[in-house]
PDB file of all heavy atoms in Angstrom:
ATOM      1  N   HIS B 800       3.285 -17.879  13.532  1.00 74.00           N
ATOM      2  CA  HIS B 800       4.706 -18.174  13.515  1.00 74.00           C
ATOM      3  C   HIS B 800       5.547 -17.130  14.234  1.00 74.00           C
ATOM      4  O   HIS B 800       6.755 -17.238  14.242  1.00 74.00           O
ATOM      5  CB  HIS B 800       5.184 -18.333  12.068  1.00 74.00           C
ATOM      6  CG  HIS B 800       4.823 -19.648  11.486  1.00 74.00           C
ATOM      7  ND1 HIS B 800       5.418 -20.162  10.368  1.00 74.00           N
ATOM      8  CD2 HIS B 800       3.930 -20.582  11.879  1.00 74.00           C
ATOM      9  CE1 HIS B 800       4.894 -21.336  10.089  1.00 74.00           C
ATOM     10  NE2 HIS B 800       3.987 -21.608  10.984  1.00 74.00           N
ATOM     11  N   LYS B 801       4.914 -16.162  14.812  1.00 82.00           N
ATOM     12  CA  LYS B 801       5.685 -15.148  15.517  1.00 82.00           C
ATOM     13  C   LYS B 801       6.361 -15.763  16.736  1.00 82.00           C
ATOM     14  O   LYS B 801       5.781 -16.594  17.427  1.00 82.00           O
ATOM     15  CB  LYS B 801       4.767 -14.014  15.962  1.00 82.00           C
ATOM     16  CG  LYS B 801       4.434 -13.110  14.813  1.00 82.00           C
ATOM     17  CD  LYS B 801       4.279 -11.691  15.276  1.00 82.00           C
ATOM     18  CE  LYS B 801       4.069 -10.789  14.081  1.00 82.00           C
ATOM     19  NZ  LYS B 801       3.916  -9.400  14.445  1.00 82.00           N
ATOM     20  N   MET B 802       7.559 -15.299  17.006  1.00 84.00           N
ATOM     21  CA  MET B 802       8.298 -15.840  18.137  1.00 84.00           C
ATOM     22  C   MET B 802       7.766 -15.262  19.439  1.00 84.00           C
ATOM     23  O   MET B 802       7.383 -14.100  19.497  1.00 84.00           O
ATOM     24  CB  MET B 802       9.789 -15.516  17.976  1.00 84.00           C
ATOM     25  CG  MET B 802      10.424 -16.254  16.818  1.00 84.00           C
ATOM     26  SD  MET B 802      12.142 -15.783  16.518  1.00 84.00           S
ATOM     27  CE  MET B 802      11.960 -14.142  15.796  1.00 84.00           C
ATOM     28  N   TYR B 803       7.793 -16.068  20.463  1.00 84.00           N
ATOM     29  CA  TYR B 803       7.304 -15.637  21.770  1.00 84.00           C
ATOM     30  C   TYR B 803       8.372 -14.786  22.459  1.00 84.00           C
ATOM     31  O   TYR B 803       9.498 -15.223  22.660  1.00 84.00           O
ATOM     32  CB  TYR B 803       6.967 -16.866  22.619  1.00 84.00           C
ATOM     33  CG  TYR B 803       6.778 -16.581  24.076  1.00 84.00           C
ATOM     34  CD1 TYR B 803       5.857 -15.634  24.500  1.00 84.00           C
ATOM     35  CD2 TYR B 803       7.536 -17.248  25.030  1.00 84.00           C
ATOM     36  CE1 TYR B 803       5.698 -15.359  25.837  1.00 84.00           C
ATOM     37  CE2 TYR B 803       7.370 -16.978  26.380  1.00 84.00           C
ATOM     38  CZ  TYR B 803       6.453 -16.030  26.777  1.00 84.00           C
ATOM     39  OH  TYR B 803       6.298 -15.751  28.111  1.00 84.00           O
ATOM     40  N   VAL B 804       8.004 -13.564  22.789  1.00 84.00           N
ATOM     41  CA  VAL B 804       8.930 -12.672  23.491  1.00 84.00           C
ATOM     42  C   VAL B 804       8.479 -12.560  24.940  1.00 84.00           C
ATOM     43  O   VAL B 804       7.433 -11.958  25.216  1.00 84.00           O
ATOM     44  CB  VAL B 804       8.948 -11.262  22.859  1.00 84.00           C
ATOM     45  CG1 VAL B 804      10.042 -10.423  23.499  1.00 84.00           C
ATOM     46  CG2 VAL B 804       9.132 -11.340  21.367  1.00 84.00           C
ATOM     47  N   PRO B 805       9.237 -13.112  25.892  1.00 84.00           N
ATOM     48  CA  PRO B 805       8.800 -13.067  27.291  1.00 84.00           C
ATOM     49  C   PRO B 805       9.197 -11.761  27.952  1.00 84.00           C
ATOM     50  O   PRO B 805       9.995 -10.990  27.421  1.00 84.00           O
ATOM     51  CB  PRO B 805       9.575 -14.223  27.917  1.00 84.00           C
ATOM     52  CG  PRO B 805      10.855 -14.251  27.138  1.00 84.00           C
ATOM     53  CD  PRO B 805      10.538 -13.789  25.736  1.00 84.00           C
ATOM     54  N   GLY B 806       8.611 -11.521  29.092  1.00 78.00           N
ATOM     55  CA  GLY B 806       9.117 -10.466  29.974  1.00 78.00           C
ATOM     56  C   GLY B 806       8.651  -9.062  29.677  1.00 78.00           C
ATOM     57  O   GLY B 806       9.221  -8.111  30.182  1.00 78.00           O
ATOM     58  N   PHE B 807       7.610  -8.898  28.882  1.00 77.00           N
ATOM     59  CA  PHE B 807       7.151  -7.534  28.646  1.00 77.00           C
ATOM     60  C   PHE B 807       5.835  -7.227  29.349  1.00 77.00           C
ATOM     61  O   PHE B 807       5.275  -6.158  29.162  1.00 77.00           O
ATOM     62  CB  PHE B 807       7.069  -7.233  27.149  1.00 77.00           C
ATOM     63  CG  PHE B 807       8.392  -6.831  26.587  1.00 77.00           C
ATOM     64  CD1 PHE B 807       9.269  -7.800  26.119  1.00 77.00           C
ATOM     65  CD2 PHE B 807       8.798  -5.528  26.590  1.00 77.00           C
ATOM     66  CE1 PHE B 807      10.515  -7.443  25.632  1.00 77.00           C
ATOM     67  CE2 PHE B 807      10.042  -5.160  26.117  1.00 77.00           C
ATOM     68  CZ  PHE B 807      10.899  -6.122  25.630  1.00 77.00           C
ATOM     69  N   GLY B 808       5.360  -8.178  30.117  1.00 74.00           N
ATOM     70  CA  GLY B 808       4.166  -7.949  30.918  1.00 74.00           C
ATOM     71  C   GLY B 808       3.017  -7.449  30.072  1.00 74.00           C
ATOM     72  O   GLY B 808       2.739  -7.985  29.006  1.00 74.00           O
ATOM     73  N   GLU B 809       2.390  -6.411  30.560  1.00 72.00           N
ATOM     74  CA  GLU B 809       1.245  -5.848  29.858  1.00 72.00           C
ATOM     75  C   GLU B 809       1.685  -5.155  28.565  1.00 72.00           C
ATOM     76  O   GLU B 809       0.933  -5.040  27.626  1.00 72.00           O
ATOM     77  CB  GLU B 809       0.531  -4.822  30.745  1.00 72.00           C
ATOM     78  CG  GLU B 809      -0.248  -5.420  31.903  1.00 72.00           C
ATOM     79  CD  GLU B 809      -1.479  -6.166  31.446  1.00 72.00           C
ATOM     80  OE1 GLU B 809      -2.061  -5.789  30.429  1.00 72.00           O
ATOM     81  OE2 GLU B 809      -1.850  -7.163  32.118  1.00 72.00           O
ATOM     82  N   ALA B 810       2.902  -4.665  28.592  1.00 82.00           N
ATOM     83  CA  ALA B 810       3.388  -3.898  27.450  1.00 82.00           C
ATOM     84  C   ALA B 810       3.857  -4.819  26.333  1.00 82.00           C
ATOM     85  O   ALA B 810       3.816  -6.029  26.441  1.00 82.00           O
ATOM     86  CB  ALA B 810       4.521  -2.999  27.891  1.00 82.00           C
ATOM     87  N   SER B 811       4.307  -4.237  25.260  1.00 90.00           N
ATOM     88  CA  SER B 811       4.848  -4.988  24.136  1.00 90.00           C
ATOM     89  C   SER B 811       6.211  -4.406  23.803  1.00 90.00           C
ATOM     90  O   SER B 811       6.527  -3.278  24.196  1.00 90.00           O
ATOM     91  CB  SER B 811       3.922  -4.843  22.933  1.00 90.00           C
ATOM     92  OG  SER B 811       3.891  -3.490  22.524  1.00 90.00           O
ATOM     93  N   PRO B 812       7.041  -5.148  23.067  1.00 92.00           N
ATOM     94  CA  PRO B 812       8.306  -4.559  22.621  1.00 92.00           C
ATOM     95  C   PRO B 812       8.070  -3.255  21.865  1.00 92.00           C
ATOM     96  O   PRO B 812       8.819  -2.295  22.007  1.00 92.00           O
ATOM     97  CB  PRO B 812       8.883  -5.642  21.700  1.00 92.00           C
ATOM     98  CG  PRO B 812       8.306  -6.916  22.200  1.00 92.00           C
ATOM     99  CD  PRO B 812       6.929  -6.574  22.677  1.00 92.00           C
ATOM    100  N   GLU B 813       6.992  -3.234  21.097  1.00 93.00           N
ATOM    101  CA  GLU B 813       6.709  -2.025  20.316  1.00 93.00           C
ATOM    102  C   GLU B 813       6.442  -0.827  21.217  1.00 93.00           C
ATOM    103  O   GLU B 813       6.884   0.291  20.928  1.00 93.00           O
ATOM    104  CB  GLU B 813       5.500  -2.254  19.383  1.00 93.00           C
ATOM    105  CG  GLU B 813       5.759  -3.162  18.198  1.00 93.00           C
ATOM    106  CD  GLU B 813       5.700  -4.641  18.569  1.00 93.00           C
ATOM    107  OE1 GLU B 813       5.343  -4.957  19.728  1.00 93.00           O
ATOM    108  OE2 GLU B 813       6.021  -5.485  17.713  1.00 93.00           O
ATOM    109  N   SER B 814       5.725  -1.047  22.316  1.00 92.00           N
ATOM    110  CA  SER B 814       5.423   0.097  23.182  1.00 92.00           C
ATOM    111  C   SER B 814       6.660   0.545  23.955  1.00 92.00           C
ATOM    112  O   SER B 814       6.825   1.730  24.240  1.00 92.00           O
ATOM    113  CB  SER B 814       4.253  -0.214  24.110  1.00 92.00           C
ATOM    114  OG  SER B 814       4.659  -1.075  25.130  1.00 92.00           O
ATOM    115  N   LYS B 815       7.542  -0.409  24.273  1.00 93.00           N
ATOM    116  CA  LYS B 815       8.797  -0.027  24.934  1.00 93.00           C
ATOM    117  C   LYS B 815       9.631   0.827  23.988  1.00 93.00           C
ATOM    118  O   LYS B 815      10.209   1.840  24.378  1.00 93.00           O
ATOM    119  CB  LYS B 815       9.606  -1.280  25.312  1.00 93.00           C
ATOM    120  CG  LYS B 815       8.956  -2.142  26.347  1.00 93.00           C
ATOM    121  CD  LYS B 815       9.027  -1.528  27.728  1.00 93.00           C
ATOM    122  CE  LYS B 815       8.094  -2.272  28.674  1.00 93.00           C
ATOM    123  NZ  LYS B 815       7.893  -1.600  29.947  1.00 93.00           N
ATOM    124  N   ALA B 816       9.699   0.396  22.749  1.00 95.00           N
ATOM    125  CA  ALA B 816      10.478   1.151  21.765  1.00 95.00           C
ATOM    126  C   ALA B 816       9.844   2.520  21.521  1.00 95.00           C
ATOM    127  O   ALA B 816      10.547   3.531  21.380  1.00 95.00           O
ATOM    128  CB  ALA B 816      10.577   0.362  20.468  1.00 95.00           C
ATOM    129  N   ALA B 817       8.500   2.562  21.490  1.00 95.00           N
ATOM    130  CA  ALA B 817       7.801   3.829  21.278  1.00 95.00           C
ATOM    131  C   ALA B 817       8.081   4.792  22.421  1.00 95.00           C
ATOM    132  O   ALA B 817       8.247   6.001  22.214  1.00 95.00           O
ATOM    133  CB  ALA B 817       6.300   3.581  21.146  1.00 95.00           C
ATOM    134  N   ASN B 818       8.168   4.243  23.611  1.00 93.00           N
ATOM    135  CA  ASN B 818       8.448   5.050  24.787  1.00 93.00           C
ATOM    136  C   ASN B 818       9.832   5.713  24.686  1.00 93.00           C
ATOM    137  O   ASN B 818      10.011   6.880  25.021  1.00 93.00           O
ATOM    138  CB  ASN B 818       8.368   4.169  26.033  1.00 93.00           C
ATOM    139  CG  ASN B 818       8.204   4.982  27.285  1.00 93.00           C
ATOM    140  OD1 ASN B 818       7.523   6.004  27.283  1.00 93.00           O
ATOM    141  ND2 ASN B 818       8.841   4.545  28.347  1.00 93.00           N
ATOM    142  N   ASN B 819      10.787   4.970  24.179  1.00 93.00           N
ATOM    143  CA  ASN B 819      12.115   5.530  23.985  1.00 93.00           C
ATOM    144  C   ASN B 819      12.127   6.575  22.879  1.00 93.00           C
ATOM    145  O   ASN B 819      12.796   7.603  22.991  1.00 93.00           O
ATOM    146  CB  ASN B 819      13.113   4.427  23.660  1.00 93.00           C
ATOM    147  CG  ASN B 819      13.767   3.917  24.912  1.00 93.00           C
ATOM    148  OD1 ASN B 819      14.774   4.435  25.354  1.00 93.00           O
ATOM    149  ND2 ASN B 819      13.131   2.937  25.547  1.00 93.00           N
ATOM    150  N   LEU B 820      11.381   6.303  21.824  1.00 95.00           N
ATOM    151  CA  LEU B 820      11.294   7.292  20.747  1.00 95.00           C
ATOM    152  C   LEU B 820      10.638   8.574  21.248  1.00 95.00           C
ATOM    153  O   LEU B 820      10.986   9.670  20.818  1.00 95.00           O
ATOM    154  CB  LEU B 820      10.510   6.729  19.563  1.00 95.00           C
ATOM    155  CG  LEU B 820      11.292   5.788  18.644  1.00 95.00           C
ATOM    156  CD1 LEU B 820      10.387   5.238  17.556  1.00 95.00           C
ATOM    157  CD2 LEU B 820      12.474   6.520  17.993  1.00 95.00           C
ATOM    158  N   HIS B 821       9.708   8.421  22.169  1.00 95.00           N
ATOM    159  CA  HIS B 821       9.027   9.581  22.743  1.00 95.00           C
ATOM    160  C   HIS B 821      10.050  10.539  23.381  1.00 95.00           C
ATOM    161  O   HIS B 821      10.034  11.745  23.123  1.00 95.00           O
ATOM    162  CB  HIS B 821       8.008   9.083  23.768  1.00 95.00           C
ATOM    163  CG  HIS B 821       7.282  10.163  24.490  1.00 95.00           C
ATOM    164  ND1 HIS B 821       6.510  11.097  23.833  1.00 95.00           N
ATOM    165  CD2 HIS B 821       7.206  10.464  25.802  1.00 95.00           C
ATOM    166  CE1 HIS B 821       6.003  11.929  24.732  1.00 95.00           C
ATOM    167  NE2 HIS B 821       6.410  11.562  25.921  1.00 95.00           N
ATOM    168  N   SER B 822      10.955   9.984  24.170  1.00 94.00           N
ATOM    169  CA  SER B 822      12.013  10.810  24.773  1.00 94.00           C
ATOM    170  C   SER B 822      12.892  11.429  23.692  1.00 94.00           C
ATOM    171  O   SER B 822      13.288  12.596  23.778  1.00 94.00           O
ATOM    172  CB  SER B 822      12.910   9.957  25.672  1.00 94.00           C
ATOM    173  OG  SER B 822      12.162   9.343  26.665  1.00 94.00           O
ATOM    174  N   PHE B 823      13.165  10.624  22.699  1.00 95.00           N
ATOM    175  CA  PHE B 823      14.021  11.078  21.599  1.00 95.00           C
ATOM    176  C   PHE B 823      13.382  12.260  20.868  1.00 95.00           C
ATOM    177  O   PHE B 823      14.059  13.237  20.531  1.00 95.00           O
ATOM    178  CB  PHE B 823      14.239   9.900  20.645  1.00 95.00           C
ATOM    179  CG  PHE B 823      15.191  10.161  19.523  1.00 95.00           C
ATOM    180  CD1 PHE B 823      16.465  10.642  19.755  1.00 95.00           C
ATOM    181  CD2 PHE B 823      14.828   9.896  18.215  1.00 95.00           C
ATOM    182  CE1 PHE B 823      17.361  10.865  18.713  1.00 95.00           C
ATOM    183  CE2 PHE B 823      15.708  10.100  17.168  1.00 95.00           C
ATOM    184  CZ  PHE B 823      16.973  10.588  17.422  1.00 95.00           C
ATOM    185  N   PHE B 824      12.085  12.189  20.643  1.00 96.00           N
ATOM    186  CA  PHE B 824      11.396  13.265  19.924  1.00 96.00           C
ATOM    187  C   PHE B 824      11.419  14.573  20.720  1.00 96.00           C
ATOM    188  O   PHE B 824      11.494  15.659  20.139  1.00 96.00           O
ATOM    189  CB  PHE B 824       9.949  12.865  19.605  1.00 96.00           C
ATOM    190  CG  PHE B 824       9.848  11.785  18.571  1.00 96.00           C
ATOM    191  CD1 PHE B 824       8.848  10.822  18.637  1.00 96.00           C
ATOM    192  CD2 PHE B 824      10.745  11.722  17.513  1.00 96.00           C
ATOM    193  CE1 PHE B 824       8.757   9.818  17.679  1.00 96.00           C
ATOM    194  CE2 PHE B 824      10.662  10.720  16.546  1.00 96.00           C
ATOM    195  CZ  PHE B 824       9.662   9.767  16.642  1.00 96.00           C
ATOM    196  N   THR B 825      11.357  14.461  22.044  1.00 96.00           N
ATOM    197  CA  THR B 825      11.438  15.678  22.858  1.00 96.00           C
ATOM    198  C   THR B 825      12.822  16.303  22.695  1.00 96.00           C
ATOM    199  O   THR B 825      12.958  17.520  22.538  1.00 96.00           O
ATOM    200  CB  THR B 825      11.176  15.362  24.343  1.00 96.00           C
ATOM    201  OG1 THR B 825      10.011  14.553  24.441  1.00 96.00           O
ATOM    202  CG2 THR B 825      10.998  16.630  25.146  1.00 96.00           C
ATOM    203  N   TYR B 826      13.819  15.449  22.720  1.00 95.00           N
ATOM    204  CA  TYR B 826      15.197  15.919  22.524  1.00 95.00           C
ATOM    205  C   TYR B 826      15.354  16.599  21.159  1.00 95.00           C
ATOM    206  O   TYR B 826      15.912  17.694  21.058  1.00 95.00           O
ATOM    207  CB  TYR B 826      16.137  14.716  22.647  1.00 95.00           C
ATOM    208  CG  TYR B 826      17.545  14.961  22.213  1.00 95.00           C
ATOM    209  CD1 TYR B 826      18.441  15.642  23.032  1.00 95.00           C
ATOM    210  CD2 TYR B 826      17.995  14.511  20.973  1.00 95.00           C
ATOM    211  CE1 TYR B 826      19.744  15.867  22.629  1.00 95.00           C
ATOM    212  CE2 TYR B 826      19.297  14.728  20.567  1.00 95.00           C
ATOM    213  CZ  TYR B 826      20.169  15.406  21.391  1.00 95.00           C
ATOM    214  OH  TYR B 826      21.451  15.632  20.985  1.00 95.00           O
ATOM    215  N   ILE B 827      14.812  15.968  20.134  1.00 95.00           N
ATOM    216  CA  ILE B 827      14.871  16.535  18.788  1.00 95.00           C
ATOM    217  C   ILE B 827      14.145  17.884  18.742  1.00 95.00           C
ATOM    218  O   ILE B 827      14.631  18.854  18.164  1.00 95.00           O
ATOM    219  CB  ILE B 827      14.198  15.582  17.765  1.00 95.00           C
ATOM    220  CG1 ILE B 827      14.952  14.259  17.678  1.00 95.00           C
ATOM    221  CG2 ILE B 827      14.044  16.247  16.409  1.00 95.00           C
ATOM    222  CD1 ILE B 827      15.977  14.174  16.619  1.00 95.00           C
ATOM    223  N   ALA B 828      12.968  17.938  19.393  1.00 96.00           N
ATOM    224  CA  ALA B 828      12.181  19.171  19.377  1.00 96.00           C
ATOM    225  C   ALA B 828      12.948  20.307  20.043  1.00 96.00           C
ATOM    226  O   ALA B 828      12.937  21.443  19.559  1.00 96.00           O
ATOM    227  CB  ALA B 828      10.841  18.942  20.071  1.00 96.00           C
ATOM    228  N   VAL B 829      13.639  20.003  21.127  1.00 96.00           N
ATOM    229  CA  VAL B 829      14.431  21.029  21.818  1.00 96.00           C
ATOM    230  C   VAL B 829      15.554  21.515  20.897  1.00 96.00           C
ATOM    231  O   VAL B 829      15.833  22.710  20.808  1.00 96.00           O
ATOM    232  CB  VAL B 829      14.996  20.477  23.155  1.00 96.00           C
ATOM    233  CG1 VAL B 829      16.033  21.412  23.741  1.00 96.00           C
ATOM    234  CG2 VAL B 829      13.870  20.258  24.150  1.00 96.00           C
ATOM    235  N   LYS B 830      16.152  20.596  20.166  1.00 94.00           N
ATOM    236  CA  LYS B 830      17.220  20.977  19.237  1.00 94.00           C
ATOM    237  C   LYS B 830      16.682  21.850  18.107  1.00 94.00           C
ATOM    238  O   LYS B 830      17.294  22.833  17.710  1.00 94.00           O
ATOM    239  CB  LYS B 830      17.853  19.717  18.626  1.00 94.00           C
ATOM    240  CG  LYS B 830      18.568  18.842  19.636  1.00 94.00           C
ATOM    241  CD  LYS B 830      19.780  18.184  19.051  1.00 94.00           C
ATOM    242  CE  LYS B 830      20.973  19.014  19.377  1.00 94.00           C
ATOM    243  NZ  LYS B 830      22.248  18.436  18.997  1.00 94.00           N
ATOM    244  N   ILE B 831      15.535  21.461  17.585  1.00 94.00           N
ATOM    245  CA  ILE B 831      14.921  22.230  16.494  1.00 94.00           C
ATOM    246  C   ILE B 831      14.592  23.641  16.961  1.00 94.00           C
ATOM    247  O   ILE B 831      14.958  24.627  16.318  1.00 94.00           O
ATOM    248  CB  ILE B 831      13.638  21.526  15.971  1.00 94.00           C
ATOM    249  CG1 ILE B 831      13.998  20.232  15.225  1.00 94.00           C
ATOM    250  CG2 ILE B 831      12.834  22.458  15.063  1.00 94.00           C
ATOM    251  CD1 ILE B 831      12.797  19.385  14.834  1.00 94.00           C
TER     252      ILE B 831
END
Side-chain angles (χ1 to χ4, degrees):
Chain B
H800 282 198
K801 283 214 175 180
M802 292 175 287
Y803 166 55
V804 187
F807 277 88
E809 288 290 329
S811 64
E813 288 81 6
S814 74
K815 294 286 167 191
N818 198 36
N819 268 272
L820 281 177
H821 177 60
S822 302
F823 185 53
F824 290 145
T825 312
Y826 169 78
I827 296 266
V829 169
K830 295 215 95 174
I831 290 173

